[in-house]
Amino acid sequence: MKRTLLFWVWVCWSATAISQVTISGHVTDEKNQPLWGANVYLQNTVMGTITNSGGIYTLRKLPPGHYILIVSYVGYQTSQLSFEASESKDRKSVV
């Protein structure tokens, strides 16, 4: 009985791990300069991050679905990008 239970736990864990999506990209200004410290988050979720010194962000372990990516930075207009997360993609967000 124990072997069967461990097998099913492993199968469920593997299915969950496979269905997770990573979204990454970089945020630049109108002169294509990276914006360090820009806020990047998904609307109506608690998932978010800030960009590094190269303007790069990464959001990991997203379940597949439809999202609205919000990018904000002091002194710039907030930008939104609607996308479907079905596989890992690189997004460029210009604020």
Side-chain angles (χ1 to χ4, degrees):
M1 187 68 167
K2 252 185 176 177
R3 288 184 184 167
T4 304
L5 178 62
L6 290 174
F7 175 77
W8 284 110
V9 170
W10 180 80
V11 168
C12 292
W13 178 81
S14 294
T16 302
I18 291 170
S19 67
Q20 294 176 344
V21 178
T22 296
I23 301 296
S24 63
H26 60 282
V27 180
T28 60
D29 64 12
E30 62 279 350
K31 295 178 183 175
N32 209 28
Q33 296 298 309
L35 293 176
W36 174 79
N39 294 302
V40 180
Y41 62 96
L42 299 175
Q43 187 176 43
N44 301 324
T45 73
V46 295
M47 299 173 138
T49 190
I50 61 170
T51 58
N52 66 14
S53 60
I56 297 170
Y57 66 89
T58 302
L59 296 169
R60 292 182 174 89
K61 299 183 181 179
L62 301 174
H66 182 77
Y67 295 98
I68 297 176
L69 183 73
I70 311 281
V71 180
S72 64
Y73 192 79
V74 175
Y76 288 80
Q77 184 177 12
T78 299
S79 178
Q80 296 184 8
L81 175 68
S82 179
F83 68 96
E84 191 71 29
S86 57
E87 58 187 49
S88 294
K89 297 184 184 279
D90 186 43
R91 302 277 183 201
K92 182 175 183 182
S93 305
V94 179
V95 227

